Amino acid sequence: MCGGLARPDTVAVTHGLFGVSGTGDTSGFGGLVRPITTPAAAERPYGGWFDEAVDDLRAGLAARGADPDRVLEKVVIDRGELTLSVYRRGLLVAAAALRDEPSLRFELCLGVSGIHYPEMTGRELHAVYPLRSITHNRLLRLATTAPDSDPRIPSLMSVYPTDDWHEREAYDFFGIVFTGHPSLTRIEMPDDWEGHPQRKDYPLGGIPVEYKGATVPPPNQRRSYR
């Protein structure tokens, strides 16, 4: 179905099962060496309806006064699925075009997932939005990035109001700050919790945990994914 596939980009190479260093590997996989990769930008023709969708998005962006080349960073085709990676400054206009253009009509956003790549300097935090077109029965992903040093990404609640709790969860677990969200507070961890538990630099253990009113003391050693 799809053409224009390219070799994946290697982000880093990990050693051992979790990439842990300095604490000893107790997994039995100390000799395991594997690359961390992300799909590379695809080249035309993308195949299927993907070329038409990208062209319609670019036209929709231009109709809204946005420069498509300053909004759309790259097009990824992986496992027969389409991901549109946009710069965070163009996230809102891209989402509006995907929702409102008659030839696109991605009316439903299924939430937002956070990803943390500590090795990707300047773009460590990723936000990925699965979008569904009920009109055309199509599915794609909209994605953007932000650096750890400035973890702000525009909230999509003005375009997709159902992202409310999903953005709160991504903030809670990854520390992504969705600017414009009306109440960006933790949704699962306690309000006074320190850190964001699904980041790769969050320690494995070493955090006092209350369980049924009893405090479990932390282990002596702290382990992290890095």
Side-chain angles (χ1 to χ4, degrees), residues 93-149:
V93 67
L98 287 166
R99 184 193 65 182
D100 296 338
E101 285 298 308
S103 57
L104 296 170
R105 289 293 189 216
F106 285 88
E107 307 100 331
L108 179 63
C109 181
L110 303 174
V112 56
S113 298
I115 312 171
H116 186 219
Y117 290 105
E119 303 84 2
M120 297 183 70
T121 304
R123 47 192 299 121
E124 293 91 349
L125 293 168
H126 293 229
V128 181
Y129 307 81
L131 304 182
R132 167 72 71 179
S133 171
I134 300 173
T135 299
H136 302 294
N137 191 25
R138 292 172 174 176
L139 180 70
L140 59 74
R141 296 184 187 88
L142 181 63
T144 193
T145 66
D148 274 343
S149 59

Side-chain angles (χ1 to χ4, degrees), residues 128-172:
V128 181
Y129 307 81
L131 304 182
R132 167 72 71 179
S133 171
I134 300 173
T135 299
H136 302 294
N137 191 25
R138 292 172 174 176
L139 180 70
L140 59 74
R141 296 184 187 88
L142 181 63
T144 193
T145 66
D148 274 343
S149 59
D150 181 21
R152 294 176 295 174
I153 291 175
S155 170
L156 281 192
M157 279 191 59
S158 61
V159 181
Y160 296 109
T162 52
D163 274 359
D164 185 352
W165 286 12
H166 299 279
E167 290 182 352
R168 287 178 59 194
E169 184 177 52
Y171 162 71
D172 195 355

